[in-house]
Amino acid sequence: MRTSRIVFAAALAACLSMPALADISAAVADSARPAEDTARDAGRKPTDTLTFADIKPGMQIAELIPGGGYYTRLLSAAVGADGHVYALIPPPKPNLPDSAKAIGAIAADAHYGNITISTLSYAEPALGLSQQVDLVWTTNNYHDMHNALDEAGIVAFNKIVFDALKPGGAYIVIDHATA
């Protein structure tokens, strides 16, 4: 009897997440995504990643340091017209790519009309957002924050991130490490 309850609960949970998976699958299959992004899908596994992060239509997401916009497009499409993505870009630095141009081009595309670009401040309360969000997302750059901040600064920044979240919100950090 106990096994059947567990199986039923797992099946129910899977069914409840089916609409979100359909929206995520549609975002990944979106023909507006550039070929260079879709070429990265095998390594980045966007369907699995967005599903794990529990991305749903209508969510409000702050994306920290979005780089060239690989996940920006996916998040925008997955949250849909009722959701919003706040792309928080660091101030430009000499000898580093200016992500404002790449993200600006994405935000200017009517297909991704739910993106707002803001300058990220590591010390600004609530990340400079006018409202709390459901999720704060950062991909392959959390380690770089350690170049800009000392350990106390990282702790303070993480507190700002958590303060920017609605109750029950999530902070998703996707990163890599090396020895």
Side-chain angles (χ1 to χ4, degrees), residues 37-124:
D37 281 9
T38 59
R40 294 180 181 162
D41 288 351
R44 290 194 173 190
K45 302 186 182 336
T47 301
D48 295 339
T49 304
L50 296 176
T51 301
F52 172 79
D54 202 23
I55 304 300
K56 294 183 175 97
M59 289 181 82
Q60 306 292 307
I61 298 175
E63 183 183 16
L64 305 175
I65 316 172
Y70 174 89
Y71 276 108
T72 309
R73 288 183 187 91
L74 290 165
L75 293 169
S76 171
V79 301
D82 292 333
H84 204 84
V85 176
Y86 300 92
L88 304 176
I89 300 181
K93 290 187 177 181
N95 304 322
L96 291 177
D98 183 4
S99 63
K101 290 180 184 176
I103 301 303
I106 296 167
D109 183 339
H111 189 74
Y112 302 107
N114 60 352
I115 298 171
T116 300
I117 301 172
S118 298
T119 300
L120 173 65
S121 168
Y122 293 108
E124 195 169 323

Side-chain angles (χ1 to χ4, degrees), residues 129-147:
L129 299 168
S130 61
Q131 63 181 15
Q132 289 182 307
V133 295
D134 300 297
L135 185 132
V136 174
W137 177 285
T138 188
T139 309
N140 294 338
N141 53 43
Y142 186 81
H143 66 277
D144 292 325
M145 292 181 198
H146 291 268
N147 297 331

